[in-house]
């Protein structure tokens, strides 16, 4: 298993047909997830295009995420985490923590994406809206969004199959001012493993 | 009033404090709407950041949209259209119409944005997820998204106030294969007016 350190990111190459299993090691950790087409960082897994394709806000097993060019990129093939994920919220970034009152630098998922990609010699033209695995943002009364602790349990996981060669990036969300990562507001690490 | 021709786009500069009134002239026309910070096309009105900021999927009067740097950019200050707009769906693009079976070029909002910006000598680094004015995409059972005809009526409007100097772009959505623009599936023009 490959570690996604607490408050940090990690990116890897996936070949078409490979599967990445993302494990919520401690059970309450949100993992922001991105994917980019191999060789073209301008083509990325897009939540706004994927919601149209799957007809849902929260993906379920069998749903295929698509890129901003409507090409299949990742399919959710396993999920024993409770089935609650988010496609609505932007990755946290330096400005998010400023609006929450931080006056000093706070680790954030947007910078984690950039650092993780840089480790592979890559850069994204912008920060796409992520697939926030395990993040619990229910829609109340058909409109209001709420931030709630994850419903996932320690060791639960999802598995995503690559539909094209791609680069996948993860960030163990460092949010510790809201219960995004559980009521304890203690971000932890998570893990992933790749299989053919 | 400035015309947004049927199936086409139009972009204009707005100064901070100015208001743009967008009129649904025929009543059933969706108007995809984007905004970019003056002088920096990499800073754009972001639906994924705005949902976090306003705590809702569908904006209501008084809500302020923010950019991908969490800066206020447009505030919804009037709405007599029925209050139904969409922040979930990507702009239609050539690939969307291909997935719907089109084998020849179909007008689309993404290309309309590019053409409208080009008329001002501008280009966007990518197509941000738009504010789809008058578009009716209800969330059913807290998860499923449906495409329904607009609830707006002829001559109804919204007004958006610029919180910073910006470029605003509109596209009269050319979708004629689904009832996005009404059951008749006949895209029409729309209009806007700018006031100080």
């Amino acid at each position: 298993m490959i570690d996604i350190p607490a408050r940090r990111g990690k990116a890897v190459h996936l070949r078409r047909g490979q599967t990445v299993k993302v494990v919520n090691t401690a059970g309450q950790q949100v993992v922001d997830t991105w994917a980019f087409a191999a060789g073209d960082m301008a083509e990325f897994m897009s939540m706004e295009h994927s919601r149209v394709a799957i007809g849902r806000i929260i993906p379920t097993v069998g749903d295929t995420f698509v890129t901003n060019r409507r090409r299949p990129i990742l399919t959710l093939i396993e999920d024993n985490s409770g089935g609650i994920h988010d496609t609505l919220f932007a990755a946290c970034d330096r400005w998010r923590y400023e609006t929450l009152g931080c006056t000093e630098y706070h680790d954030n998922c947007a910078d984690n994406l950039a650092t993780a990609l840089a480790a592979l010699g890559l850069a994204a033209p912008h920060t796409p809206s992520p697939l926030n695995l395990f993040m619990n943002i229910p829609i109340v009364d058909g409109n209001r969004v709420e931030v709630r602790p994850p419903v996932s349990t320690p060791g639960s996981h999802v598995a995503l199959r690559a539909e094209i060669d791609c680069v996948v990036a993860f960030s163990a969300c460092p949010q510790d001012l809201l219960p995004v990562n559980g009521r304890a507001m203690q971000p932890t690490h998570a893990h992933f493993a790749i299989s053919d």
Side-chain angles (χ1 to χ4, degrees), chain A:
Chain A
M1 299 284 268
I2 300 167
D3 191 44
I4 310 168
R7 313 172 75 93
R8 293 287 178 269
K10 181 83 182 164
V12 289
H13 294 278
L14 281 187
R15 288 193 310 277
R16 178 180 175 179
Q18 285 188 315
T19 293
V20 61
K21 179 177 172 177
V22 186
V23 180
N24 199 333
T25 313
Q28 295 281 287
Q29 181 58 48
V30 166
V31 179
D32 284 37
T33 300
W34 297 266
F36 300 86
D40 182 5
M41 298 296 288
E43 183 174 4
F44 54 87
M45 178 170 72
S46 167
M47 293 304 105
E48 57 264 31
H49 295 78
S50 294
R51 285 188 292 265
V52 178
I54 71 178
R56 265 188 283 272
I57 289 173
I58 303 171
T60 193
V61 169
D63 282 343
T64 296
F65 295 92
V66 300
T67 71
N68 54 325
R69 294 179 196 164
R70 317 260 180 187
R71 285 206 300 164
I73 185 164
L74 292 179
T75 299
L76 181 62
I77 61 170
E78 292 175 22
D79 184 356
N80 67 11
S81 73
I84 300 299
H85 311 285
D86 172 66
T87 68
L88 297 173
F89 273 26
C92 62
D93 49 40
R94 65 190 74 182
W95 305 288
R96 173 63 171 149
Y97 291 104
E98 285 175 11
T99 65
L100 290 171
C102 291
T103 53
E104 298 191 349
Y105 182 79
H106 193 289
D107 295 323
N108 62 81
C109 288
D111 286 352
N112 285 349
L113 170 65
T115 304
L117 290 175
L120 300 180
L122 298 169
H126 80 295
T127 304
S129 200
L131 167 60
N132 296 309
L133 291 174
F134 315 117
M135 191 171 179
N136 185 7
I137 306 290
I139 296 157
V140 180
D141 300 332
N143 192 11
R144 203 154 42 80
V145 286
E146 288 192 355
V147 174
R148 293 192 191 161
V151 303
S152 42
T153 50
S156 63
H157 75 272
V158 301
L160 298 159
R161 184 182 64 219
E163 302 298 340
I164 56 172
D165 292 354
C166 58
V167 174
V168 175
F170 304 105
S171 171
C173 178
Q175 175 59 265
D176 52 8
L177 304 172
L178 296 172
V180 166
N181 297 304
R183 293 195 197 284
M185 298 196 274
Q186 293 282 357
T188 66
H189 65 167
H191 290 85
F192 68 90
I194 297 170
S195 58
D196 285 320

